[in-house]
Amino acid sequence: MSTNTVVSPGVTVKQKTKKDHTLLKSVLFLLPAWILLLIFFVGPILLTFYFAFTNLSLTGTQAKSVEFIGFQNFLTMFQDPNFRISVVKTMVFLLLSAVIGQQVLGFILAVLMKEKNKTFRRIIGIIVLAGWVTPEIVVAFCWVAFLSDNGTLNMILQQIGLKPVTWMYTFPMVSVVIANIWHGTAFSMLVFQAALDDVPKSVEEAAVIDGANRFQVLFRIVLPMVKGSIVTNMILVTLQTLGVFTLIFAMTGGGPGTSTQTLPIFMYNQAFVNYQLGYGTAISLILLVIGIGASLIYMRSMKVEI
Amino acid sequence: MKKKMFTKIAAVSVIGGSMLLSAACSNESSSTDSKGKQEIKITYRSGGGTNKGLTDWLNKEIIPEFEKDHPKVDVKLAPLNVSEGDYFAKVALMLKSKNTAPDIVTEDTFMVNSDASAGYLEPLDDRIKDWSDWSNYNDSVKQGVIAQDGKTYGVPYNTDSRGLWYNKDLFKKAGLPVPWEPKSWDDILQAAETIKDKLPGVTPLWMNSGKATGEATSMQTFEMLLSGTDTWLYDNDSKKWVVKGQGLTDSFKFIDTVYENKLGPSLSQVLNGTGGAVAYQQLMPKGKLAIGLDGFWQTGNWGESGAAPWPDAFKTLGFAAMPTQKGQAPGTTTMSGGWALSIPKNSKNKDAAWDFIKLASSKENNLSLLQKERNLTPRDDVAKEQSYQEIPMFKEATEFLSFTHFRPAVDKYPTVSTQIQSLVEGVVTDKITPEEAAKQYQSNVTKIVGEDNVIEK
């Protein structure tokens, strides 16, 4: 752009029209994408806001005549003990499987693999990535096959003379948390690998020369330097985990009882099992608010701007 | 590198988007198929041995007969392979749109009112008027397909009754009386206790108890209990829902007792959507289940063409009437429902669909379906047929109808029913006590139907 000022005014005008031209062109070319986005992305979002304030139902008279009911859905929600249970379950699932499980495990893997032999990195990388590239529903089936009453784990236990355990009924939350960690760790590992590779070796060496031991280097030097990546990863992983539905639904269906009924499952149950679409939509808005809130908290507490 | 990635993503999304659009457009003309014939699509629930008799009957008898008379019409089966709980939501979604609505849908009669109120179904009054067979239908069964607006929205093809299946061999082994005639809920619990003590490894009592088994949990378990107490879900005189009553608490308590005292199956079995199949296709034929509270149609599993053929079933098993709570009059109770063929409002071939329903509902065809399905007939003239009365256990099951109950014919019932299901699962998994369940039932149902529509008893 700065070159424009050097050349004669006539040329600038010519360039300006050329610029307008490109602008028009890009608008023209982007228009289909914008229209598609408007119809399929913005439209549903606005509808979601609208339906959250109605009594829309999947069947019955309210499916035909939708009424605006103000904040009734939200009032109902905050009085519903099941909603409170679901928020707690969501937080537990989020904290254990995403924030602690995937992040910490991913970071440890990344640190351990740093500057190791290339073949070793590749083999471990592929194994961990296998969990990540497997579709959620397949992950769920693998874990059901592993943990079910007649599953692999119980077969092994019986072989060594132990009593079989109904894992998904006795420890439902633990089961889905482990499955989600297995599925998602690779993502955190990749993010941290990239971040750690960016830490200049000279900084670490300087710290070692100053007398820092390995843990001091890791916690005082490396961690602060990759803070930005940690927050980004935390936000991404949190948003992903808040939306996990398939895995839990296929493994436990949110049960037994309400043991693994996270908000997405609760939302599905209200909308498609209890036929209360309006109420379900209101829950989805709350889910959105929680996602935004969590992201803001991370950014504030780590003092990082994105 | 980044730019390349971006172009790739853009390309993929463009292709994906256009595929979505073209898929949406190609659905437009589903009323005729490629050969220019008219098409009737029939939607029902299948999978895991469900509706095997119905599928056979359609494929081997009704469709060939219909297509012979209507060479210009192609009949296509579009079964939904889903759990009972998901079937109704899926159907409601399909019926909403012209692109997905089938031409005939099988509706559980408790959904007819709700789906009709939603405007999903076509009223059949004008067509039924000119159809002489309608007068042969049993009046109480007809009530099930009449919605709140007084119009008829379906032609029933079966009805049913529920009771206690019990294994006579196991009862004899445990020293229990055969034939078994329990007089109260305590008698059931005592028999189950005896089985537990005398026959380890045998599940004493199976009741549907989870959300996954959907309506079966509400109707075969909770309502079978509740109808034997002094409380009922709905007060027909005041047209209000009963949200508080001793019967509600007691029914939750009975269910709780069964699992607290380890008289039921393991939760991992019973809370599963395939629970019913496990109980009546595996455990019962193997002599691993002593008592099962369920529908009469389970016999369909054991016939020659059933999912688990078991020739000795009718010698080994008894079908006892469910007693009332303390033996109060009339001493026994049961619930009846049934399924109907309905035409969606969004169907494009309503006339052909109606012709098909008429053919499928004829006296001969209905009888042949019930022989396959082992369910009770909605037609009085079929019930009088000798070959119908000779089917094993039809006599007992039909006798139960004299003291039967129907579900409230109100459009809010399906939503109340799903509340019952999650509360029962809550009690069974010890998440809530029976008293808490009764309390939550009161507040949840009040929320659903509105404060003006509830009473306490």
Side-chain angles (χ1 to χ4, degrees):
Chain A
M1 308 279 145
S2 56
T3 47
N4 281 356
T5 48
V6 198
V7 286
S8 67
V11 180
T12 334
V13 171
K14 226 180 182 180
Q15 277 203 340
K16 238 186 185 168
T17 48
K18 207 174 174 190
K19 236 173 141 188
D20 283 350
H21 222 70
T22 30
L23 188 73
L24 192 77
K25 245 193 212 165
S26 45
V27 167
L28 251 169
F29 275 110
L30 278 175
L31 207 61
W34 281 350
I35 291 174
L36 278 178
L37 270 179
L38 273 177
I39 296 174
F40 292 109
F41 198 71
V42 182
I45 291 179
L46 292 179
L47 275 179
T48 305
F49 270 93
Y50 169 66
F51 285 139
F53 295 94
T54 65
N55 64 355
L56 180 70
S57 164
L58 193 54
T59 177
T61 30
Q62 286 152 0
K64 206 152 80 177
S65 53
V66 183
E67 279 168 38
F68 190 79
I69 53 164
F71 284 92
Q72 193 55 50
N73 282 332
F74 295 92
L75 284 178
T76 312
M77 200 186 312
F78 295 127
Q79 287 163 1
D80 189 344
N82 274 314
F83 172 71
R84 264 166 289 175
I85 292 172
S86 294
V87 172
V88 174
K89 298 288 174 197
T90 312
M91 290 303 158
V92 171
F93 182 67
L94 182 66
L95 203 73
L96 292 182
S97 79
V99 179
I100 297 179
Q102 293 183 9
Q103 286 248 93
V104 173
L105 198 64
F107 190 79
I108 293 174
L109 279 170
V111 168
L112 291 180
M113 280 164 72
K114 200 185 169 200
E115 276 148 38
K116 291 276 150 43
N117 170 311
K118 229 182 174 180
T119 339
F120 172 78
R121 276 182 75 143
R122 201 169 280 169
I123 292 171
I124 298 292
I126 288 173
I127 293 174
V128 180
L129 266 175
W132 172 246
V133 297
T134 313
E136 220 170 288
I137 186 71
V138 181
V139 174
F141 272 114
C142 290
W143 280 93
V144 168
F146 186 66
L147 296 174
S148 68
D149 293 7
N150 303 316
T152 320
L153 186 57
N154 277 335
M155 291 291 180
I156 297 171
L157 286 181
Q158 275 167 314
Q159 284 294 321
I160 54 173
L162 291 173
K163 266 194 168 174
V165 179
T166 53
W167 295 103
M168 283 183 296
Y169 287 83
T170 323
F171 309 104
M173 189 48 107
V174 178
S175 303
V176 291
V177 161
I178 291 177
N180 195 41
I181 293 176
W182 184 85
H183 179 48
T185 299
F187 181 77
S188 299
M189 185 192 79
L190 288 178
V191 171
F192 290 134
Q193 262 184 344
L196 289 178
D197 285 346
D198 278 349
V199 176
K201 231 180 159 188
S202 54
V203 180
E204 282 178 65
E205 275 165 5
V208 173
I209 290 168
D210 285 346
N213 65 29
R214 285 181 68 182
F215 285 97
Q216 280 172 324
V217 172
L218 183 63
F219 285 105
R220 299 257 169 104
I221 311 288
V222 177
L223 264 181
M225 286 184 82
V226 298
K227 202 168 74 176
S229 304
I230 294 180
V231 174
T232 314
N233 185 49
M234 196 105 114
I235 292 174
L236 289 175
V237 166
T238 298
L239 295 180
Q240 264 164 21
T241 308
L242 275 179
V244 168
F245 173 80
T246 318
L247 186 75
I248 301 180
F249 190 73
M251 280 182 73
T252 63
T258 48
S259 302
T260 51
Q261 182 181 277
T262 57
L263 278 172
I265 304 272
F266 183 59
M267 178 178 88
Y268 172 86
N269 281 341
Q270 295 304 328
F272 295 106
V273 179
N274 293 354
Y275 313 113
Q276 316 268 34
L277 286 179
Y279 188 36
T281 319
I283 299 166
S284 76
L285 276 190
I286 295 295
L287 199 58
L288 185 72
V289 170
I290 292 180
I292 295 172
S295 310
L296 286 178
I297 291 172
Y298 295 154
M299 272 153 58
R300 278 282 159 81
S301 62
M302 308 274 269
K303 298 199 181 74
V304 175
E305 277 186 31
I306 294 173
Chain B
M1 179 68 191
K2 251 189 179 167
K3 221 175 168 186
K4 231 180 177 177
M5 188 94 139
F6 180 76
T7 356
K8 259 189 200 164
I9 292 172
V12 169
S13 32
V14 166
I15 294 169
S18 50
M19 264 159 70
L20 259 175
L21 279 176
S22 59
C25 298
S26 65
N27 256 339
E28 279 298 320
S29 54
S30 67
S31 56
T32 49
D33 66 4
S34 50
K35 285 170 248 156
K37 279 189 185 177
Q38 269 196 328
E39 192 179 274
I40 312 182
K41 249 203 269 180
I42 305 175
T43 291
Y44 59 97
R45 190 179 150 235
S46 76
T50 311
N51 276 329
K52 203 166 169 286
L54 181 79
T55 317
D56 264 14
W57 172 73
L58 285 170
N59 267 333
K60 289 185 190 145
E61 296 175 24
I62 310 303
I63 294 176
E65 194 182 335
F66 182 79
E67 286 182 340
K68 215 165 68 192
D69 294 345
H70 298 75
K72 288 224 169 106
V73 184
D74 249 350
V75 183
K76 253 199 184 152
L77 297 185
L80 294 176
N81 194 344
V82 293
S83 74
E84 175 146 8
D86 288 339
Y87 177 76
F88 307 110
K90 249 195 155 153
V91 163
L93 287 170
M94 284 172 83
L95 299 189
K96 255 177 180 302
S97 159
K98 276 204 159 69
N99 291 329
T100 49
D103 302 290
I104 295 175
V105 61
T106 63
E107 286 263 14
D108 195 329
T109 45
F110 84 94
M111 284 302 291
V112 168
N113 200 337
S114 193
D115 280 346
S117 304
Y120 296 154
L121 300 178
E122 176 81 3
L124 300 175
D125 299 71
D126 290 342
R127 300 177 194 270
I128 278 171
K129 219 171 42 198
D130 307 323
W131 184 45
S132 57
D133 282 39
W134 189 238
S135 57
N136 291 319
Y137 277 75
N138 184 291
D139 278 330
S140 64
V141 179
K142 274 183 190 172
Q143 291 305 314
V145 288
I146 297 176
Q148 270 156 315
D149 61 3
K151 290 185 187 154
T152 301
Y153 285 91
V155 176
Y157 61 87
N158 65 27
T159 182
D160 46 38
S161 60
R162 287 150 179 75
L164 293 157
W165 289 107
Y166 66 100
N167 187 316
K168 291 181 198 163
D169 295 349
L170 293 177
F171 266 58
K172 277 178 204 152
K173 249 191 243 166
L176 288 162
V178 172
W180 185 44
E181 284 167 351
K183 298 279 179 248
S184 68
W185 290 0
D186 283 340
D187 287 358
I188 303 175
L189 292 176
Q190 262 165 25
E193 286 282 358
T194 313
I195 301 275
K196 187 180 89 173
D197 293 343
K198 299 264 172 69
L199 305 169
V202 173
T203 304
L205 172 61
W206 186 296
M207 306 185 295
N208 295 290
S209 309
K211 287 186 278 192
T213 35
E215 185 61 14
T217 299
S218 306
M219 198 175 181
Q220 271 94 280
T221 301
F222 190 78
E223 287 159 20
M224 281 296 282
L225 291 165
L226 188 66
S227 65
T229 70
D230 301 325
T231 317
W232 181 233
L233 290 173
Y234 191 73
D235 185 64
N236 270 324
D237 300 328
S238 60
K239 300 218 177 297
K240 284 176 199 246
W241 289 88
V242 181
V243 289
K244 197 177 175 187
Q246 194 54 40
L248 288 163
T249 319
D250 288 348
S251 301
F252 283 121
K253 264 190 196 153
F254 180 89
I255 298 167
D256 190 46
T257 312
V258 168
Y259 289 91
E260 287 299 316
N261 296 351
K262 305 230 174 312
L263 304 175
S266 79
L267 292 185
S268 59
Q269 282 180 319
V270 77
L271 297 187
N272 202 301
T274 56
V278 171
Y280 299 99
Q281 292 169 16
Q282 293 172 27
L283 296 180
M284 201 132 220
K286 280 186 197 151
K288 292 282 177 203
L289 171 61
I291 312 169
L293 176 56
D294 216 302
F296 171 68
W297 61 86
Q298 295 295 355
T299 52
N301 286 319
W302 309 316
E304 258 172 60
S305 61
W310 180 21
D312 287 342
F314 302 104
K315 271 186 253 153
T316 316
L317 295 183
F319 193 46
M322 176 75 183
T324 51
Q325 183 181 13
K326 296 167 190 141
Q328 58 260 64
T332 45
T333 183
T334 191
M335 293 288 306
S336 286
W339 288 74
L341 298 170
S342 294
I343 303 180
K345 195 152 240 165
N346 280 326
S347 152
K348 293 184 193 98
N349 292 320
K350 291 183 186 130
D351 291 334
W354 174 246
D355 284 346
F356 188 89
I357 291 179
K358 273 199 292 193
L359 175 76
S361 308
S362 74
K363 188 176 167 189
E364 294 72 31
N365 286 334
N366 186 249
L367 178 60
S368 131
L369 168 69
L370 298 170
Q371 278 168 336
K372 283 201 159 72
E373 249 199 357
R374 300 298 172 96
N375 233 334
L376 304 181
T377 180
R379 291 180 67 121
D380 289 335
D381 53 352
V382 173
K384 285 183 198 125
E385 284 288 307
Q386 177 122 30
S387 56
Y388 175 83
Q389 290 176 346
E390 275 168 3
I391 305 175
M393 297 204 168
F394 266 49
K395 215 176 116 251
E396 288 97 321
T398 311
E399 277 166 10
F400 289 1
L401 289 179
S402 62
F403 45 81
T404 195
H405 297 80
F406 292 93
R407 290 165 287 190
V410 190
D411 79 321
K412 289 282 178 7
Y413 171 77
T415 319
V416 173
S417 172
T418 57
Q419 291 297 332
I420 294 174
Q421 291 150 31
S422 51
L423 290 173
V424 168
E425 181 164 325
V427 168
V428 165
T429 53
D430 273 341
K431 294 282 179 281
I432 43 174
T433 64
E435 289 79 11
E436 282 166 350
K439 232 178 170 177
Q440 284 191 22
Y441 180 82
Q442 178 172 13
S443 65
N444 293 353
V445 173
T446 308
K447 245 180 278 165
I448 292 165
V449 302
E451 264 168 49
D452 306 336
N453 298 318
V454 299
I455 48 169
E456 298 181 7
K457 265 200 173 170

